[in-house]
Amino acid sequence: MDRSRDNWDNPGRFITKIRTMAQHSLIELDAVLMVARRGKFRTAALELGVSATALSNAVGKLERTLGIRLFNRTTRSVSLTEAGQKFVAQIAPAVQDIHEAMDDARSQQATPSGTLRINAFPTAAREIFSSLVLPFLRVHPQVHIDVVTEGRLVDIVAGGFDLGVRSADLVPADMIALSLGGARRNVVVGTPSYLKARGTPKTPDDLAEHSCFRVRLPNGAIYRWPFEKDGQSVHIDVEGAITLDEASLARTAVLASVGLTLAMESDVRDDIAAGRLVRVLEDWTPTLPPLSLYYPSRRNPTAAFKAFVDFARRHSGASDATRTSIS
C-alpha cells in the first residue's frame, strides 16, 4: 500500500500527523525507533551517526516529555517496555510518512542538498573517498555525506543508509548495483631493509619464515591470506608478533620494517612507486571483484541521491545492473 499517496489524498489526516509530530523532535522519534530496531544504544548510535550519549539523551528527553519509560535498560541489553511497544507501533508509520514526504520534497530541489548516508567496508571507503566522494562534494558543496565503515555486511535499508559500497560479489541480489571500476588486487609488501635482512619469499609456504601482520575479522576469526596460481588456491594462517582488527594500521607497522603485510594495492600504491615498499609473491596474488555502489529502488529519490548516482555513473563509465528492484 502506498501510504504517501494516501497522505496526499487525505490532507486532513496528514496535517494531523504533522501537528502530532511537531510536539516532539523528529530526531528523538528516529532515535527511539532505531534503538527499538537494534536493541543496543551503541549500535543504534553508530547507524544514526551520533554518539551513544547523545542518543541516550534524546531518548531520555522524550521519555520525560511523555512521562513513561519506553525501554528497560540493563548493562547487557535494551528492550521495549509494554508502553514502549505500543508507542513504537503507533509512531512508526507516521515517522515513515514524514520521511517519505520530506524525500518527495527534496527530490524536487533544483540544487542538491541534505545528507547522504553511505555504508562501506573500510577498504572500500578508502578506495572511493578520493576518487568519488571528495570530487562530488567539490561540485555539490551543499550536500553532506556521512560515511560509516563496518567490516560486517549490513542491511542498508534496515540501517537507514542511502547507499552501500561493497565488493561486487557481496552485493545483495535485490539491490541495484553500479560498478565503480575494474578488478582490484591484494599485494604482499615489505620494506627493502626488511627483505634484505630476512630474504624474499618465493611461495606462500615461505611466509612461515617471516613475521607477518595478522588481521582479526569482525566475527573474531583471524583472516587467512588468500593466494592462487595456475588453478591452485591456498589460504595461509600467517604468524607474527602483531594482530590487528583494522587492516590499515598494518601500513604503519610494515613501513617500520617490522614484517610483511597483505594490503589492498590501492592503499600502498604510492609507497611502492616511491620505493618505500616492495611487492613480493606477485604471481600468487589473484585479482578481486570490482567495487559496486548499490542501493534499493526508490520512488522519490532526493536530488542529492540522484546527483550522487549520476556522478558515480559518469566517473565509472558504467551503467546500472539491476538484479531485482525493490518497490
Side-chain angles (χ1 to χ4, degrees), residues 46-47 117-129 146-154 161 165-166 218 246 248:
L46 286 172
E47 298 207 10
R117 301 190 71 227
I118 302 175
N119 186 282
F121 285 158
T123 53
R126 290 195 296 272
E127 288 188 59
I128 69 164
F129 196 68
D146 181 3
V147 180
V148 176
T149 59
E150 296 184 76
R152 63 189 180 92
L153 189 63
V154 304
F161 294 98
V165 181
R166 291 289 186 271
E246 171 46 59
S248 62

Side-chain angles (χ1 to χ4, degrees), residues 20 28 56 80 115-116 149 209 235 241 260 272 275 281 299 309 313-314 324:
T20 301
E28 294 168 12
S56 180
L80 286 166
T115 297
L116 290 177
T149 59
E209 305 300 322
H235 290 75
L260 300 176
I272 294 172
L281 298 175
R299 287 191 298 272
V309 171
R313 184 184 299 111
R314 291 195 304 271
T324 303

Side-chain angles (χ1 to χ4, degrees), residues 153 168-177 294-295 321-326:
L153 189 63
D169 59 321
L170 296 178
V171 175
D174 56 357
M175 293 284 154
I176 299 172
Y294 67 96
Y295 50 91
T322 308
R323 268 66 87 66
T324 303
S325 296
I326 301 176

Side-chain angles (χ1 to χ4, degrees), residues 2 6 33 46 112 125 133 161 178-179 202 217 237 251 262:
D2 189 345
D6 184 53
L33 292 175
L46 286 172
V133 174
F161 294 98
L178 170 64
S179 177
K202 303 299 183 183
L217 299 172
D237 186 2
R251 177 180 175 272
L262 180 74

